[in-house]
Amino acid sequence: MTIGLQIAWMISLPVVMILLVAVVFTGISLKVTARIDRRYGPPIYQPVIDLVKLVSLKTNVSHGVIFDWGLLVAIAGSSVALLMIPMGGIHPLSGSGDLLVILYLMIFASVGLGLSAGASENPNASMGVSRKLMLGLGYEVPFILILLAMMTYHHTTSLVALVAAQRATGVLGALRFPLSAVAAILIMPALQGVRPFDFVTAPQEVASGPMVELGGKYLALMVIEQSLHTAVILSLMVDLFFGGATNLGIFILKMTGLFLFGVLVNAVYPRFRVEQALRYCWRWPTWFALGGLIMAMVTKGG
Amino acid sequence: MLESIVIIGLVAPFVVGLSWRWPRLRAVLAGVAALYPLIALSVLYGRTIATAYARIPFLGTELSLRLTPLSWLFGIGIATIGLFGLIYSFSYMKGKQQLGLYYLLYLLVNAGMIGVVLSGDLITFYIMWEIMSVATFLSIGLARGQALPAGMKYILFSIGGSTAMLLAIVSLYITYGTVNIAALSAAMSGASVGYALSILVLFSVAFGIKNAVWPFHAWLPDAYAESVTPFSAVLSGMLTRMGVYGFLLVMYGMIGLPLVQRMTYGPVGYQIVLAWIAGITIVFGVFTAVLHDDAKRLLSWSSIGHGGYMILGLLLAGTLNLSGGIFHVINYAMSVSLLFFVVGAVEYRTGTRDLTQLGGLKERMPVTFIAALIGVLGMIGVPLTSGFVSKWLIYKGLILGGHPFLAFAALIGTWGTILYGYKLIHNVFLGRMPARFEEVEEVPWGMRIPMIALAGLIVLFGILPGIPLRIISLIETSFGVSALPTAIVGAPSGVGELNLLNILGGILAVAIAMYAIFSPTARARRAARTDTYTAGAPTPISGYHYVSHFYDPAERIIRPYLTDWCGVFYSWVGRQANAFFNGARKVYSGNINTYALWIVILLGVFVTMNLLGWRP
């Protein structure tokens, strides 16, 4: 890839992903959920209307510098993480960070959001962040075990190499690491923050938690950040378990499939409480992930 | 030059202590004493020196000092943290009692540490170690009150460790007839595995206690939490890490890695056993920190946990691990000293360090807030802080070395760090400010400068980790293990994918682009502090600040698993010893009548025995 093309992808890839998740995926999810509820549902372009409205609102309320820049930094962290994840052969920044760096850039984004919410001086926001970090602790246990299984088996920490290994052998990660794949499916909703794990941002819980003080362009920024986060999670899963893709189109198709799974779970399950979510994450998903790791260590051989 | 560092270091504290009548002179002298090792060591960069300074005729051995890349790195760390702590003390300690004694002990502890890292033989090493330990004991006790038992706990553990170390030194001297570390290093390459292991285990007890490795951690939380804050920074930043220095010196510098790697019996070996202990230390220390609401106690437990990362790094002996472990000493020292300075600053202005009593100070104390933020980010190891690079090296080394479970302990420890790090930042600086803090001001410049400097270093080494890593590869060369190839902005292509300049560029570019796109479209109104959405719930005018039981659901689940059985055991031993000594005090009451009574009873026993005709 030439430098020019790389830079072009660096700029366009986050934009593409934001549009994909924030507009297309959200539109689809509204429609699908509505049909499950036997409603007609909003038009498929409803997210566009919402975003345009948010950005063009005249009243924007800020709570200071940290409030503003926490959000911006979170978006930046997620964007850079996205550029390190190979998407159908496109990975402009993968030379600057491996899977561990991606994991840490996700933390970077969480911390940015936490700071922004904390700076809003609203106890509901603080409560939301506390719940968000606890949920992180919950799903991170199986998630780390899943990643370790793959990194140990293939003896690399590079995501590009993990994808290449699946391509070279023709065996998808989901087949090579079946137990890890089960664990991953079980914690996918937690990683995405959808039901049954939406106690962080659910409006009925703590007045939308970290988002309580966000309005106008700030809410638009939050939507962008959440879209990026979802894109990071989906593309990571596609790369780890479904062999990535040879071009961006197929990659996006695979992402769509995974996203629809999340939409279906979100539509039919009730919400966990925080401690229920923690206990859930630390039981079956962790056992499966642990089994996957042991299996990877046993079958590694030479 | 080396002698001058040690001699000035050991004499200056007493000169400073004696100048109690002239505070200004004392400050100048203390400053010079703290600055001198920094300058001298900077001049000596990259050199390896060994000098004999005295000869002990009756042992037939020479006492010597030496400078190696390892001692240079630790020495410069000690001198830097020591200097910052001193500058901080000038403002922080103003108007406090017993200042002469405080400065005396503060400088003596630093001199002891410098002496430890510069000693070329085990006798000097032991003497310096004891100077350091005893001075520390006295410094902890300076704060009085709860600090006295804390200091007692520290010195009891410390004596236990020193005894083990002394045993090892005597044994080495008897076996090889020398205490010179370089000579021992040559002699021990031919030692039997069993003997080397016993020596290593004895030293490990001493260094494990100093580095507060589980199950020897029990002294640390009290000692850190109760001592004077600038001293807590030195204690947690460098003094505890003398244990890591000791491990490095004995494992790599004296016994040598090949011999250590042969210490295995089937699947069990010295390295792997201690690595698992380090793993336990990480998880136990870090998650206990999450449960605490006293800021200094929280940081103390965090120190225990992060000590585990260092031990984990240096034990498993891959180049990545070792570099990460050594680098983490420096990074954690910067982060935790900075955070102790922050907690001290907050306490200085508000009078409390209880995380449930503070809040919203970010606008009242902006410099302290930014320092706290960078300190916490460095402790978590967020990219663009130096803590990230060392943790990245440790993780990568563990994964590629085939230790996924230890890697898991290290990775999940980071989530624990996020939990307590965010709690620390949030409860003190974010959220709603209680009305009584309206008048709080930023701390004086004397306290700001060390915080700004440390925060700057954390970011500098986070973006250009090649600067310290170059010294670390010198250390590895001096140990005879393969050195880490370094690049100034991350990892060279042979090591892995990490380029922090690109990450920085990417993050800045995106953040500024988003700002540029969204800022002009609609100018934001700055909301008043009380102007928040309460979802229709009635709230008092001052509002609420969510601080108490910050992670309650998680705490309730993990708390039962975090019972400190070792601490319980030590307390039990303490109580039993207390009861025994109380009993003994009844016998040795100091009253002549009691002693007369004992004599009469004894005579009576003899007479009775005689009358019964029982003669042994």
mmCIF file with all atom_site columns, all heavy atoms in Angstrom, chain A residues 60 62 104 114 122 126 140 155 157 213, chain B residues 395-396 400 415 422 426 522 525 529 533:
data_model
loop_
_atom_site.group_PDB
_atom_site.id
_atom_site.type_symbol
_atom_site.label_atom_id
_atom_site.label_alt_id
_atom_site.label_comp_id
_atom_site.label_asym_id
_atom_site.label_entity_id
_atom_site.label_seq_id
_atom_site.pdbx_PDB_ins_code
_atom_site.Cartn_x
_atom_site.Cartn_y
_atom_site.Cartn_z
_atom_site.occupancy
_atom_site.B_iso_or_equiv
_atom_site.pdbx_formal_charge
_atom_site.auth_seq_id
_atom_site.auth_comp_id
_atom_site.auth_asym_id
_atom_site.auth_atom_id
_atom_site.pdbx_PDB_model_num
ATOM 1   N N   . ASN A 1 60  ? -26.316 23.853  23.616 1.00 0.00 ? 60  ASN A N   1
ATOM 2   C CA  . ASN A 1 60  ? -25.364 22.824  23.991 1.00 0.00 ? 60  ASN A CA  1
ATOM 3   C C   . ASN A 1 60  ? -24.807 23.179  25.350 1.00 0.00 ? 60  ASN A C   1
ATOM 4   O O   . ASN A 1 60  ? -24.308 24.272  25.549 1.00 0.00 ? 60  ASN A O   1
ATOM 5   C CB  . ASN A 1 60  ? -24.232 22.745  22.979 1.00 0.00 ? 60  ASN A CB  1
ATOM 6   C CG  . ASN A 1 60  ? -24.723 22.216  21.660 1.00 0.00 ? 60  ASN A CG  1
ATOM 7   O OD1 . ASN A 1 60  ? -25.030 21.045  21.535 1.00 0.00 ? 60  ASN A OD1 1
ATOM 8   N ND2 . ASN A 1 60  ? -24.849 23.112  20.688 1.00 0.00 ? 60  ASN A ND2 1
ATOM 9   N N   . SER A 1 62  ? -22.191 22.568  28.330 1.00 0.00 ? 62  SER A N   1
ATOM 10  C CA  . SER A 1 62  ? -20.903 21.970  28.662 1.00 0.00 ? 62  SER A CA  1
ATOM 11  C C   . SER A 1 62  ? -20.671 22.040  30.163 1.00 0.00 ? 62  SER A C   1
ATOM 12  O O   . SER A 1 62  ? -21.229 22.901  30.843 1.00 0.00 ? 62  SER A O   1
ATOM 13  C CB  . SER A 1 62  ? -19.786 22.714  27.935 1.00 0.00 ? 62  SER A CB  1
ATOM 14  O OG  . SER A 1 62  ? -18.548 22.296  28.447 1.00 0.00 ? 62  SER A OG  1
ATOM 15  N N   . TYR A 1 104 ? -5.609  -2.025  25.025 1.00 0.00 ? 104 TYR A N   1
ATOM 16  C CA  . TYR A 1 104 ? -5.349  -0.863  25.872 1.00 0.00 ? 104 TYR A CA  1
ATOM 17  C C   . TYR A 1 104 ? -5.944  0.406   25.318 1.00 0.00 ? 104 TYR A C   1
ATOM 18  O O   . TYR A 1 104 ? -6.282  1.314   26.080 1.00 0.00 ? 104 TYR A O   1
ATOM 19  C CB  . TYR A 1 104 ? -3.849  -0.733  26.113 1.00 0.00 ? 104 TYR A CB  1
ATOM 20  C CG  . TYR A 1 104 ? -3.477  -1.494  27.344 1.00 0.00 ? 104 TYR A CG  1
ATOM 21  C CD1 . TYR A 1 104 ? -3.506  -2.869  27.345 1.00 0.00 ? 104 TYR A CD1 1
ATOM 22  C CD2 . TYR A 1 104 ? -3.212  -0.833  28.531 1.00 0.00 ? 104 TYR A CD2 1
ATOM 23  C CE1 . TYR A 1 104 ? -3.252  -3.577  28.486 1.00 0.00 ? 104 TYR A CE1 1
ATOM 24  C CE2 . TYR A 1 104 ? -2.949  -1.532  29.673 1.00 0.00 ? 104 TYR A CE2 1
ATOM 25  C CZ  . TYR A 1 104 ? -2.971  -2.907  29.650 1.00 0.00 ? 104 TYR A CZ  1
ATOM 26  O OH  . TYR A 1 104 ? -2.740  -3.591  30.786 1.00 0.00 ? 104 TYR A OH  1
ATOM 27  N N   . GLY A 1 114 ? -15.098 7.976   31.096 1.00 0.00 ? 114 GLY A N   1
ATOM 28  C CA  . GLY A 1 114 ? -15.253 8.065   32.545 1.00 0.00 ? 114 GLY A CA  1
ATOM 29  C C   . GLY A 1 114 ? -14.938 9.453   33.048 1.00 0.00 ? 114 GLY A C   1
ATOM 30  O O   . GLY A 1 114 ? -15.655 10.007  33.885 1.00 0.00 ? 114 GLY A O   1
ATOM 31  N N   . ASN A 1 122 ? -22.686 15.127  37.962 1.00 0.00 ? 122 ASN A N   1
ATOM 32  C CA  . ASN A 1 122 ? -24.003 14.566  38.206 1.00 0.00 ? 122 ASN A CA  1
ATOM 33  C C   . ASN A 1 122 ? -23.825 13.170  38.801 1.00 0.00 ? 122 ASN A C   1
ATOM 34  O O   . ASN A 1 122 ? -23.132 12.337  38.230 1.00 0.00 ? 122 ASN A O   1
ATOM 35  C CB  . ASN A 1 122 ? -24.755 14.474  36.872 1.00 0.00 ? 122 ASN A CB  1
ATOM 36  C CG  . ASN A 1 122 ? -26.209 14.081  37.063 1.00 0.00 ? 122 ASN A CG  1
ATOM 37  O OD1 . ASN A 1 122 ? -26.529 13.240  37.902 1.00 0.00 ? 122 ASN A OD1 1
ATOM 38  N ND2 . ASN A 1 122 ? -27.080 14.697  36.301 1.00 0.00 ? 122 ASN A ND2 1
ATOM 39  N N   . SER A 1 126 ? -21.799 9.535   37.595 1.00 0.00 ? 126 SER A N   1
ATOM 40  C CA  . SER A 1 126 ? -20.771 8.818   38.349 1.00 0.00 ? 126 SER A CA  1
ATOM 41  C C   . SER A 1 126 ? -21.185 7.370   38.563 1.00 0.00 ? 126 SER A C   1
ATOM 42  O O   . SER A 1 126 ? -20.388 6.445   38.400 1.00 0.00 ? 126 SER A O   1
ATOM 43  C CB  . SER A 1 126 ? -20.565 9.481   39.706 1.00 0.00 ? 126 SER A CB  1
ATOM 44  O OG  . SER A 1 126 ? -20.249 10.836  39.545 1.00 0.00 ? 126 SER A OG  1
ATOM 45  N N   . GLU A 1 140 ? -14.133 -8.699  31.141 1.00 0.00 ? 140 GLU A N   1
ATOM 46  C CA  . GLU A 1 140 ? -12.708 -8.763  30.812 1.00 0.00 ? 140 GLU A CA  1
ATOM 47  C C   . GLU A 1 140 ? -12.098 -10.105 31.228 1.00 0.00 ? 140 GLU A C   1
ATOM 48  O O   . GLU A 1 140 ? -11.174 -10.585 30.593 1.00 0.00 ? 140 GLU A O   1
ATOM 49  C CB  . GLU A 1 140 ? -11.981 -7.602  31.500 1.00 0.00 ? 140 GLU A CB  1
ATOM 50  C CG  . GLU A 1 140 ? -10.695 -7.188  30.846 1.00 0.00 ? 140 GLU A CG  1
ATOM 51  C CD  . GLU A 1 140 ? -10.886 -6.400  29.565 1.00 0.00 ? 140 GLU A CD  1
ATOM 52  O OE1 . GLU A 1 140 ? -12.032 -6.006  29.225 1.00 0.00 ? 140 GLU A OE1 1
ATOM 53  O OE2 . GLU A 1 140 ? -9.878  -6.177  28.905 1.00 0.00 ? 140 GLU A OE2 1
ATOM 54  N N   . HIS A 1 155 ? 1.326   -18.279 19.072 1.00 0.00 ? 155 HIS A N   1
ATOM 55  C CA  . HIS A 1 155 ? 2.614   -17.738 19.512 1.00 0.00 ? 155 HIS A CA  1
ATOM 56  C C   . HIS A 1 155 ? 2.886   -16.360 18.922 1.00 0.00 ? 155 HIS A C   1
ATOM 57  O O   . HIS A 1 155 ? 3.954   -16.057 18.395 1.00 0.00 ? 155 HIS A O   1
ATOM 58  C CB  . HIS A 1 155 ? 3.751   -18.703 19.134 1.00 0.00 ? 155 HIS A CB  1
ATOM 59  C CG  . HIS A 1 155 ? 4.988   -18.449 19.931 1.00 0.00 ? 155 HIS A CG  1
ATOM 60  N ND1 . HIS A 1 155 ? 5.119   -18.831 21.255 1.00 0.00 ? 155 HIS A ND1 1
ATOM 61  C CD2 . HIS A 1 155 ? 6.150   -17.839 19.614 1.00 0.00 ? 155 HIS A CD2 1
ATOM 62  C CE1 . HIS A 1 155 ? 6.290   -18.473 21.693 1.00 0.00 ? 155 HIS A CE1 1
ATOM 63  N NE2 . HIS A 1 155 ? 6.942   -17.861 20.726 1.00 0.00 ? 155 HIS A NE2 1
ATOM 64  N N   . THR A 1 157 ? 1.408   -11.946 19.311 1.00 0.00 ? 157 THR A N   1
ATOM 65  C CA  . THR A 1 157 ? 0.439   -11.009 19.854 1.00 0.00 ? 157 THR A CA  1
ATOM 66  C C   . THR A 1 157 ? -0.125  -10.109 18.763 1.00 0.00 ? 157 THR A C   1
ATOM 67  O O   . THR A 1 157 ? -0.854  -9.172  19.053 1.00 0.00 ? 157 THR A O   1
ATOM 68  C CB  . THR A 1 157 ? 1.073   -10.116 20.937 1.00 0.00 ? 157 THR A CB  1
ATOM 69  O OG1 . THR A 1 157 ? 2.167   -9.418  20.340 1.00 0.00 ? 157 THR A OG1 1
ATOM 70  C CG2 . THR A 1 157 ? 1.557   -10.925 22.112 1.00 0.00 ? 157 THR A CG2 1
ATOM 71  N N   . GLU A 1 213 ? -25.846 13.917  31.304 1.00 0.00 ? 213 GLU A N   1
ATOM 72  C CA  . GLU A 1 213 ? -25.677 15.357  31.074 1.00 0.00 ? 213 GLU A CA  1
ATOM 73  C C   . GLU A 1 213 ? -25.415 15.686  29.614 1.00 0.00 ? 213 GLU A C   1
ATOM 74  O O   . GLU A 1 213 ? -25.048 16.815  29.295 1.00 0.00 ? 213 GLU A O   1
ATOM 75  C CB  . GLU A 1 213 ? -24.532 15.886  31.929 1.00 0.00 ? 213 GLU A CB  1
ATOM 76  C CG  . GLU A 1 213 ? -24.866 15.996  33.413 1.00 0.00 ? 213 GLU A CG  1
ATOM 77  C CD  . GLU A 1 213 ? -25.994 16.979  33.688 1.00 0.00 ? 213 GLU A CD  1
ATOM 78  O OE1 . GLU A 1 213 ? -25.995 18.056  33.092 1.00 0.00 ? 213 GLU A OE1 1
ATOM 79  O OE2 . GLU A 1 213 ? -26.887 16.628  34.490 1.00 0.00 ? 213 GLU A OE2 1
ATOM 80  N N   . TYR B 2 395 ? 3.582   -8.280  29.420 1.00 0.00 ? 395 TYR B N   1
ATOM 81  C CA  . TYR B 2 395 ? 2.526   -9.133  28.850 1.00 0.00 ? 395 TYR B CA  1
ATOM 82  C C   . TYR B 2 395 ? 3.061   -9.936  27.687 1.00 0.00 ? 395 TYR B C   1
ATOM 83  O O   . TYR B 2 395 ? 2.865   -11.135 27.582 1.00 0.00 ? 395 TYR B O   1
ATOM 84  C CB  . TYR B 2 395 ? 1.364   -8.297  28.319 1.00 0.00 ? 395 TYR B CB  1
ATOM 85  C CG  . TYR B 2 395 ? 0.665   -7.438  29.314 1.00 0.00 ? 395 TYR B CG  1
ATOM 86  C CD1 . TYR B 2 395 ? 0.125   -6.222  28.933 1.00 0.00 ? 395 TYR B CD1 1
ATOM 87  C CD2 . TYR B 2 395 ? 0.528   -7.828  30.631 1.00 0.00 ? 395 TYR B CD2 1
ATOM 88  C CE1 . TYR B 2 395 ? -0.533  -5.424  29.828 1.00 0.00 ? 395 TYR B CE1 1
ATOM 89  C CE2 . TYR B 2 395 ? -0.127  -7.027  31.535 1.00 0.00 ? 395 TYR B CE2 1
ATOM 90  C CZ  . TYR B 2 395 ? -0.648  -5.825  31.130 1.00 0.00 ? 395 TYR B CZ  1
ATOM 91  O OH  . TYR B 2 395 ? -1.299  -5.023  32.016 1.00 0.00 ? 395 TYR B OH  1
ATOM 92  N N   . LYS B 2 396 ? 3.736   -9.218  26.794 1.00 0.00 ? 396 LYS B N   1
ATOM 93  C CA  . LYS B 2 396 ? 4.196   -9.880  25.568 1.00 0.00 ? 396 LYS B CA  1
ATOM 94  C C   . LYS B 2 396 ? 5.184   -10.985 25.925 1.00 0.00 ? 396 LYS B C   1
ATOM 95  O O   . LYS B 2 396 ? 5.110   -12.095 25.380 1.00 0.00 ? 396 LYS B O   1
ATOM 96  C CB  . LYS B 2 396 ? 4.844   -8.842  24.646 1.00 0.00 ? 396 LYS B CB  1
ATOM 97  C CG  . LYS B 2 396 ? 4.913   -9.287  23.204 1.00 0.00 ? 396 LYS B CG  1
ATOM 98  C CD  . LYS B 2 396 ? 5.362   -8.138  22.323 1.00 0.00 ? 396 LYS B CD  1
ATOM 99  C CE  . LYS B 2 396 ? 5.900   -8.634  21.007 1.00 0.00 ? 396 LYS B CE  1
ATOM 100 N NZ  . LYS B 2 396 ? 4.877   -9.104  20.089 1.00 0.00 ? 396 LYS B NZ  1
ATOM 101 N N   . LEU B 2 400 ? 4.417   -14.855 24.944 1.00 0.00 ? 400 LEU B N   1
ATOM 102 C CA  . LEU B 2 400 ? 5.324   -15.565 24.039 1.00 0.00 ? 400 LEU B CA  1
ATOM 103 C C   . LEU B 2 400 ? 6.146   -16.599 24.792 1.00 0.00 ? 400 LEU B C   1
ATOM 104 O O   . LEU B 2 400 ? 6.593   -17.584 24.212 1.00 0.00 ? 400 LEU B O   1
ATOM 105 C CB  . LEU B 2 400 ? 6.238   -14.575 23.313 1.00 0.00 ? 400 LEU B CB  1
ATOM 106 C CG  . LEU B 2 400 ? 5.515   -13.569 22.418 1.00 0.00 ? 400 LEU B CG  1
ATOM 107 C CD1 . LEU B 2 400 ? 6.500   -12.740 21.632 1.00 0.00 ? 400 LEU B CD1 1
ATOM 108 C CD2 . LEU B 2 400 ? 4.556   -14.274 21.478 1.00 0.00 ? 400 LEU B CD2 1
ATOM 109 N N   . TRP B 2 415 ? -7.118  -4.277  35.211 1.00 0.00 ? 415 TRP B N   1
ATOM 110 C CA  . TRP B 2 415 ? -8.509  -3.829  35.387 1.00 0.00 ? 415 TRP B CA  1
ATOM 111 C C   . TRP B 2 415 ? -8.759  -3.396  36.818 1.00 0.00 ? 415 TRP B C   1
ATOM 112 O O   . TRP B 2 415 ? -9.490  -2.446  37.069 1.00 0.00 ? 415 TRP B O   1
ATOM 113 C CB  . TRP B 2 415 ? -9.503  -4.897  34.941 1.00 0.00 ? 415 TRP B CB  1
ATOM 114 C CG  . TRP B 2 415 ? -9.974  -4.541  33.581 1.00 0.00 ? 415 TRP B CG  1
ATOM 115 C CD1 . TRP B 2 415 ? -9.457  -5.017  32.417 1.00 0.00 ? 415 TRP B CD1 1
ATOM 116 C CD2 . TRP B 2 415 ? -10.976 -3.575  33.225 1.00 0.00 ? 415 TRP B CD2 1
ATOM 117 N NE1 . TRP B 2 415 ? -10.078 -4.414  31.358 1.00 0.00 ? 415 TRP B NE1 1
ATOM 118 C CE2 . TRP B 2 415 ? -11.011 -3.533  31.815 1.00 0.00 ? 415 TRP B CE2 1
ATOM 119 C CE3 . TRP B 2 415 ? -11.826 -2.752  33.947 1.00 0.00 ? 415 TRP B CE3 1
ATOM 120 C CZ2 . TRP B 2 415 ? -11.879 -2.689  31.128 1.00 0.00 ? 415 TRP B CZ2 1
ATOM 121 C CZ3 . TRP B 2 415 ? -12.687 -1.913  33.252 1.00 0.00 ? 415 TRP B CZ3 1
ATOM 122 C CH2 . TRP B 2 415 ? -12.709 -1.895  31.864 1.00 0.00 ? 415 TRP B CH2 1
ATOM 123 N N   . TYR B 2 422 ? -9.627  5.032   38.871 1.00 0.00 ? 422 TYR B N   1
ATOM 124 C CA  . TYR B 2 422 ? -10.740 5.930   38.565 1.00 0.00 ? 422 TYR B CA  1
ATOM 125 C C   . TYR B 2 422 ? -11.400 6.416   39.851 1.00 0.00 ? 422 TYR B C   1
ATOM 126 O O   . TYR B 2 422 ? -11.785 7.570   39.963 1.00 0.00 ? 422 TYR B O   1
ATOM 127 C CB  . TYR B 2 422 ? -11.767 5.249   37.659 1.00 0.00 ? 422 TYR B CB  1
ATOM 128 C CG  . TYR B 2 422 ? -12.866 6.202   37.276 1.00 0.00 ? 422 TYR B CG  1
ATOM 129 C CD1 . TYR B 2 422 ? -12.640 7.174   36.320 1.00 0.00 ? 422 TYR B CD1 1
ATOM 130 C CD2 . TYR B 2 422 ? -14.090 6.205   37.926 1.00 0.00 ? 422 TYR B CD2 1
ATOM 131 C CE1 . TYR B 2 422 ? -13.608 8.096   35.994 1.00 0.00 ? 422 TYR B CE1 1
ATOM 132 C CE2 . TYR B 2 422 ? -15.067 7.119   37.612 1.00 0.00 ? 422 TYR B CE2 1
ATOM 133 C CZ  . TYR B 2 422 ? -14.816 8.072   36.641 1.00 0.00 ? 422 TYR B CZ  1
ATOM 134 O OH  . TYR B 2 422 ? -15.771 9.001   36.340 1.00 0.00 ? 422 TYR B OH  1
ATOM 135 N N   . HIS B 2 426 ? -11.904 10.191  40.600 1.00 0.00 ? 426 HIS B N   1
ATOM 136 C CA  . HIS B 2 426 ? -13.290 10.645  40.638 1.00 0.00 ? 426 HIS B CA  1
ATOM 137 C C   . HIS B 2 426 ? -13.672 11.198  42.006 1.00 0.00 ? 426 HIS B C   1
ATOM 138 O O   . HIS B 2 426 ? -14.208 12.287  42.121 1.00 0.00 ? 426 HIS B O   1
ATOM 139 C CB  . HIS B 2 426 ? -14.225 9.490   40.260 1.00 0.00 ? 426 HIS B CB  1
ATOM 140 C CG  . HIS B 2 426 ? -15.664 9.798   40.493 1.00 0.00 ? 426 HIS B CG  1
ATOM 141 N ND1 . HIS B 2 426 ? -16.290 9.524   41.683 1.00 0.00 ? 426 HIS B ND1 1
ATOM 142 C CD2 . HIS B 2 426 ? -16.585 10.404  39.710 1.00 0.00 ? 426 HIS B CD2 1
ATOM 143 C CE1 . HIS B 2 426 ? -17.544 9.939   41.618 1.00 0.00 ? 426 HIS B CE1 1
ATOM 144 N NE2 . HIS B 2 426 ? -17.744 10.474  40.425 1.00 0.00 ? 426 HIS B NE2 1
ATOM 145 N N   . ALA B 2 522 ? -21.902 24.771  17.025 1.00 0.00 ? 522 ALA B N   1
ATOM 146 C CA  . ALA B 2 522 ? -22.784 25.280  18.076 1.00 0.00 ? 522 ALA B CA  1
ATOM 147 C C   . ALA B 2 522 ? -21.947 25.573  19.301 1.00 0.00 ? 522 ALA B C   1
ATOM 148 O O   . ALA B 2 522 ? -21.331 24.680  19.856 1.00 0.00 ? 522 ALA B O   1
ATOM 149 C CB  . ALA B 2 522 ? -23.854 24.243  18.396 1.00 0.00 ? 522 ALA B CB  1
ATOM 150 N N   . ARG B 2 525 ? -22.861 26.319  26.082 1.00 0.00 ? 525 ARG B N   1
ATOM 151 C CA  . ARG B 2 525 ? -23.059 27.133  27.267 1.00 0.00 ? 525 ARG B CA  1
ATOM 152 C C   . ARG B 2 525 ? -22.430 26.394  28.437 1.00 0.00 ? 525 ARG B C   1
ATOM 153 O O   . ARG B 2 525 ? -22.613 25.195  28.589 1.00 0.00 ? 525 ARG B O   1
ATOM 154 C CB  . ARG B 2 525 ? -24.554 27.332  27.509 1.00 0.00 ? 525 ARG B CB  1
ATOM 155 C CG  . ARG B 2 525 ? -24.912 28.017  28.803 1.00 0.00 ? 525 ARG B CG  1
ATOM 156 C CD  . ARG B 2 525 ? -26.411 28.298  28.831 1.00 0.00 ? 525 ARG B CD  1
ATOM 157 N NE  . ARG B 2 525 ? -27.206 27.075  28.930 1.00 0.00 ? 525 ARG B NE  1
ATOM 158 C CZ  . ARG B 2 525 ? -27.460 26.469  30.102 1.00 0.00 ? 525 ARG B CZ  1
ATOM 159 N NH1 . ARG B 2 525 ? -26.980 26.959  31.217 1.00 0.00 ? 525 ARG B NH1 1
ATOM 160 N NH2 . ARG B 2 525 ? -28.196 25.378  30.133 1.00 0.00 ? 525 ARG B NH2 1
ATOM 161 N N   . ARG B 2 529 ? -22.463 24.710  38.386 1.00 0.00 ? 529 ARG B N   1
ATOM 162 C CA  . ARG B 2 529 ? -22.178 23.420  39.011 1.00 0.00 ? 529 ARG B CA  1
ATOM 163 C C   . ARG B 2 529 ? -23.450 22.708  39.472 1.00 0.00 ? 529 ARG B C   1
ATOM 164 O O   . ARG B 2 529 ? -23.530 21.488  39.432 1.00 0.00 ? 529 ARG B O   1
ATOM 165 C CB  . ARG B 2 529 ? -21.231 23.615  40.188 1.00 0.00 ? 529 ARG B CB  1
ATOM 166 C CG  . ARG B 2 529 ? -19.909 22.959  39.953 1.00 0.00 ? 529 ARG B CG  1
ATOM 167 C CD  . ARG B 2 529 ? -19.127 22.669  41.180 1.00 0.00 ? 529 ARG B CD  1
ATOM 168 N NE  . ARG B 2 529 ? -19.253 23.564  42.277 1.00 0.00 ? 529 ARG B NE  1
ATOM 169 C CZ  . ARG B 2 529 ? -18.555 24.692  42.414 1.00 0.00 ? 529 ARG B CZ  1
ATOM 170 N NH1 . ARG B 2 529 ? -17.686 25.062  41.509 1.00 0.00 ? 529 ARG B NH1 1
ATOM 171 N NH2 . ARG B 2 529 ? -18.713 25.441  43.458 1.00 0.00 ? 529 ARG B NH2 1
ATOM 172 N N   . TYR B 2 533 ? -29.147 17.451  35.652 1.00 0.00 ? 533 TYR B N   1
ATOM 173 C CA  . TYR B 2 533 ? -30.417 16.766  35.494 1.00 0.00 ? 533 TYR B CA  1
ATOM 174 C C   . TYR B 2 533 ? -30.574 15.723  36.582 1.00 0.00 ? 533 TYR B C   1
ATOM 175 O O   . TYR B 2 533 ? -29.697 14.894  36.768 1.00 0.00 ? 533 TYR B O   1
ATOM 176 C CB  . TYR B 2 533 ? -30.461 16.118  34.115 1.00 0.00 ? 533 TYR B CB  1
ATOM 177 C CG  . TYR B 2 533 ? -31.687 15.302  33.859 1.00 0.00 ? 533 TYR B CG  1
ATOM 178 C CD1 . TYR B 2 533 ? -32.943 15.907  33.775 1.00 0.00 ? 533 TYR B CD1 1
ATOM 179 C CD2 . TYR B 2 533 ? -31.611 13.935  33.678 1.00 0.00 ? 533 TYR B CD2 1
ATOM 180 C CE1 . TYR B 2 533 ? -34.068 15.162  33.531 1.00 0.00 ? 533 TYR B CE1 1
ATOM 181 C CE2 . TYR B 2 533 ? -32.743 13.173  33.433 1.00 0.00 ? 533 TYR B CE2 1
ATOM 182 C CZ  . TYR B 2 533 ? -33.969 13.798  33.353 1.00 0.00 ? 533 TYR B CZ  1
ATOM 183 O OH  . TYR B 2 533 ? -35.071 13.058  33.116 1.00 0.00 ? 533 TYR B OH  1
#
